């Protein structure tokens, strides 16, 4: 698994470190679409996501010297994008909602339903979450951060992270069910 | 519940694995700008506003800055004649040229030279020599008189046989006045009328200029857009060594300014 990164990307990184504009553009083009896919989950629309992407790439180029070549470069870029997205929300949406309402048992959307949905539909319902829920759900469920890490990144307690994740799931399930109802009509 | 949550999360992460969206091209531009230290995100200048500003500046400059009066007057006379006829017309003022024909086409110093003021308005350089020969007799008579009439004393229009004048040539008032001054043979005045008498008198004036200067270029560009008789803005189009073109007319609809209109 720990394959050495291709020499092509290594060379590109070296040239980027030297400040070569064309190499920077090549690097950008190689990762921009994928990283915008990440940012889209944290944003409410493409415009916001592109702002996050822009900030993220600025940071990538400025911090390139810090990249030691350990681990996949893409993973390193992705982490910077996620941080950039969180940073964006901290700056633009000061108040992180901490809704700690305990939740009972909800009707659970089964995994097949999610599998049958298009990625655009899933993106759409994630974007409808309030920023705090969206952030925690993205970080934990999709980008694989632990509650401890989330607490550090977002600036909330681990407990708050857990409860927000739980609440986010509930809301998402609810939205998925409603979507399914709309799609197939009510049975009764 | 825990298991369900995991499946739920995995359902999402599986869907978003490899999810890509093409960013708009502006994003890289903004990244590059920021790396250059430029902060501005709105760097799209409206080219229209730039063009409009240039036109306004040119107009304002032309209206408010003093013009080179004497030279411009001279040029205006030549231009005026050209404006009334179709392109292959020669307007000859003053005495015939003793300079090489090539010079009449390119005309680097004809306007400023007192005795050599043959002016080629349209690109008819090859014909100039012939025309000059034919008119030599006419103009020769008056060679001595116009010395005191500011080089505008004599005006003769000559056309080549296969081409036509679109409209009768009406000499400029100034020119007429000058021509009527004592000592000018009247037959010179008659000549343009005689020539134009055989042409179609009813056609609308068509202005065609060659490009000899920046002014000529602007004239042609304006003419493409503005189909009126009096254009939005008109410049002299002299091939003199005067690099700066002068405005000969402005037409803003309500306000019309035209230098020595017919």
């Amino acid at each position: 698994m720990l394959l050495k990164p291709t020499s092509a990307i290594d060379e590109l990184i070296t040239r980027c470190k030297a400040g070569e504009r064309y190499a920077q553009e090549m690097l950008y083009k190689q990762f921009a679409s994928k990283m915008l896919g990440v940012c889209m989950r944290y944003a409410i629309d493409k415009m916001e996501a592109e702002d996050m992407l822009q900030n993220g790439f600025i940071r990538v180029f400025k911090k390139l010297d810090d990249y030691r070549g350990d681990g996949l470069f893409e993973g390193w870029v992705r982490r910077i994008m996620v941080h950039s997205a969180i940073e964006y929300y901290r700056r633009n949406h000061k108040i992180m909602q901490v809704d700690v309402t305990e939740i009972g048992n909800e009707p659970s959307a089964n995994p097949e339903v999610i599998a049958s949905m298009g990625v655009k539909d899933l993106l759409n319902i994630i974007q409808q979450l309030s920023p705090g829920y969206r952030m925690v759900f993205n970080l934990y469920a999709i980008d694989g951060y632990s509650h401890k890490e989330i607490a550090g990144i977002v600036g909330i307690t681990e407990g708050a992270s857990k409860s927000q994740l739980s609440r986010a799931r509930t809301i998402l399930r609810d939205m998925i069910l409603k979507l399914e109802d709309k799609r197939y009509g009510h049975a009764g | 519940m825990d298991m369900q949550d995991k499946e739920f999360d995995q359902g999402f992460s599986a869907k978003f694995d490899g999810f890509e969206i093409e960013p708009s091209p502006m994003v890289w531009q903004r990244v590059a700008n920021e790396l250059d230290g430029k902060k501005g995100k709105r760097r799209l200048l409206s080219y229209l506003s730039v063009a409009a500003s240039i036109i306004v500046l040119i107009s304002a400059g032309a209206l408010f800055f003093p013009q080179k009066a004497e030279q411009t007057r001279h040029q205006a006379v030549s231009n005026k004649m050209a404006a009334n006829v179709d392109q292959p017309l020669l307007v000859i003022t003053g005495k015939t040229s003793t300079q090489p024909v090539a010079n009449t086409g390119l005309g680097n110093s004809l306007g400023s030279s007192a005795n050599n003021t043959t002016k080629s308005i349209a690109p008819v350089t090859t014909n100039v020599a012939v025309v000059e020969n034919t008119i030599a007799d006419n103009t020769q008579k008056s060679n001595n008189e116009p010395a005191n009439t500011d080089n505008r004393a004599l005006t003769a229009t000559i056309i080549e046989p296969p081409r036509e004048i679109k409209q009768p040539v009406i000499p400029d008032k100034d020119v007429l006045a000058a021509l009527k001054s004592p000592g000018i043979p009247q037959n010179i005045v008659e000549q343009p009328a005689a020539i134009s008498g055989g042409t179609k008198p009813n056609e609308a004036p068509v202005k065609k200029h060659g490009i000899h200067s920046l002014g000529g270029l602007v004239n042609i560009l304006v003419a493409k857009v503005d189909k009126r008789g009096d254009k939005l803005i008109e410049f002299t189009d002299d091939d003199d060594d005067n690099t700066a073109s002068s405005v000969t007319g402005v037409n803003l609809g309500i306000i019309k300014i035209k230098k020595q209109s017919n």
Side-chain angles (χ1 to χ4, degrees):
Chain A
M1 187 60 204
L2 270 174
L3 288 171
K4 272 211 147 204
T6 59
S7 58
I9 190 82
D10 276 347
E11 193 198 322
L12 205 57
I13 291 167
T14 310
R15 284 164 59 197
C16 285
K17 282 180 181 173
E20 196 184 311
R21 178 52 44 86
Y22 179 71
Q24 288 171 334
E25 190 174 353
M26 289 299 106
L27 194 81
Y28 169 85
K29 283 190 171 152
Q30 191 163 335
F31 293 105
S33 301
K34 207 173 261 183
M35 294 309 140
L36 187 60
V38 173
C39 293
M40 283 296 277
R41 287 187 279 111
Y42 287 86
I44 52 166
D45 54 24
K46 196 180 178 191
M47 219 171 79
E48 210 174 79
E50 285 184 338
D51 279 347
M52 294 170 176
L53 186 75
Q54 180 187 344
N55 295 340
F57 266 105
I58 297 292
R59 223 189 268 194
V60 164
F61 290 125
K62 285 187 173 166
K63 288 188 157 195
L64 211 51
D65 282 332
D66 296 346
Y67 175 65
R68 301 278 166 225
D70 45 350
L72 277 176
F73 182 68
E74 186 183 323
W76 183 78
V77 174
R78 181 185 284 259
R79 276 196 296 282
I80 289 181
M81 287 299 156
V82 169
H83 278 260
S84 163
I86 306 291
E87 180 66 27
Y88 184 89
Y89 258 91
R90 279 184 148 166
R91 233 183 301 139
N92 296 290
H93 305 263
K94 267 251 147 65
I95 304 147
M96 300 289 274
Q97 275 194 354
V98 185
D99 187 351
V100 284
T101 323
E102 273 309 312
I103 315 126
N105 284 344
E106 297 86 20
S108 56
N110 63 56
E112 289 88 60
V113 173
I114 297 172
S116 74
M117 288 175 72
V119 67
K120 287 268 165 72
D121 289 330
L122 291 178
L123 181 66
N124 191 37
I125 60 170
I126 286 177
Q127 288 180 335
Q128 285 178 45
L129 287 173
S130 65
Y133 295 150
R134 184 162 68 241
M135 219 123 301
V136 173
F137 181 78
N138 267 315
L139 287 167
Y140 187 92
I142 302 175
D143 291 317
Y145 287 78
S146 71
H147 283 299
K148 200 178 172 185
E149 287 172 313
I150 294 169
I153 298 168
V154 182
I156 52 174
T157 64
E158 270 186 68
S161 175
K162 280 175 188 169
S163 73
Q164 286 202 49
L165 174 68
S166 179
R167 184 82 184 120
R169 284 195 190 116
T170 304
I171 295 166
L172 287 172
R173 282 189 176 112
D174 198 41
M175 284 199 276
I176 290 170
L177 282 177
K178 278 181 185 158
L179 222 93
E180 286 300 293
D181 280 352
K182 214 183 267 179
R183 201 191 291 177
Y184 298 111
H186 282 282
Chain B
M1 188 66 191
D2 215 16
M3 196 58 202
Q4 269 188 350
D5 284 346
K6 212 165 203 166
E7 279 178 43
F8 184 80
D9 292 353
Q10 277 170 358
F12 271 88
S13 61
K15 276 281 171 186
F16 282 105
D17 189 35
F19 174 58
E20 295 184 16
I21 291 185
E22 187 72 30
S24 58
M26 275 157 46
V27 180
W28 165 248
Q29 206 49 54
R30 279 162 20 194
V31 170
N33 287 345
E34 208 169 323
L35 288 173
D36 284 338
K38 297 176 201 161
K39 278 286 170 188
K41 284 186 180 179
R42 315 222 175 280
R43 302 189 70 240
L44 287 171
L45 277 174
S46 164
Y47 287 107
L48 268 180
S49 69
V50 173
S53 313
I54 289 171
I55 287 176
V56 167
L57 281 173
I58 289 173
S59 312
L63 284 171
F64 293 110
F65 282 96
Q67 295 170 12
K68 301 158 286 178
E70 209 43 57
Q71 267 186 334
T72 314
R73 256 167 83 86
H74 174 72
Q75 290 161 7
V77 170
S78 306
N79 250 20
K80 200 62 61 188
M81 300 306 290
N84 288 326
V85 297
D86 209 342
Q87 53 174 355
L89 173 70
L90 279 177
V91 177
I92 296 175
T93 55
K95 299 163 189 178
T96 52
S97 173
T98 56
Q99 290 195 344
V101 171
N103 259 5
T104 61
L106 300 167
N108 28 11
S109 63
L110 293 178
S112 53
S113 168
N115 290 328
N116 304 318
T117 50
T118 303
K119 198 141 236 39
S120 171
I121 300 304
V124 287
T125 50
T126 52
N127 298 320
V128 171
V130 181
V131 175
E132 277 172 10
N133 286 338
T134 57
I135 60 157
D137 291 341
N138 292 331
T139 49
Q140 205 64 41
K141 296 173 193 167
S142 57
N143 268 355
N144 298 325
E145 279 94 356
N148 60 345
T149 57
D150 194 23
N151 298 331
R152 292 177 286 109
L154 302 178
T155 301
T157 53
I158 291 94
I159 49 166
E160 291 172 293
R163 311 202 183 167
E164 292 174 344
I165 298 174
K166 296 285 186 187
Q167 203 198 20
V169 175
I170 302 159
D172 192 89
K173 279 175 192 162
D174 285 21
V175 180
L176 275 175
L179 287 167
K180 281 170 187 166
S181 64
I184 311 296
Q186 202 58 31
N187 63 336
I188 302 295
V189 185
E190 296 295 319
Q191 194 167 1
I195 291 167
S196 57
T199 61
K200 305 172 197 169
N202 292 328
E203 283 188 28
V206 179
K207 298 181 182 182
K208 286 188 180 175
H209 299 261
I211 303 174
H212 301 292
S213 64
L214 183 64
L217 180 67
V218 174
N219 281 349
I220 284 172
L221 290 177
V222 170
K224 289 271 181 214
V225 183
D226 191 349
K227 302 293 183 198
R228 295 176 297 182
D230 294 333
K231 305 300 181 201
L232 176 68
I233 188 161
E234 285 181 58
F235 291 85
T236 55
D237 184 22
D238 289 319
D239 46 5
D240 279 356
D241 52 350
N242 307 314
T243 47
S245 297
S246 308
V247 171
T248 55
V250 174
N251 182 0
L252 299 174
I254 311 162
I255 306 163
K256 288 187 188 177
I257 302 164
K258 188 143 199 215
K259 187 177 272 183
Q260 300 169 349
S261 50
N262 297 331

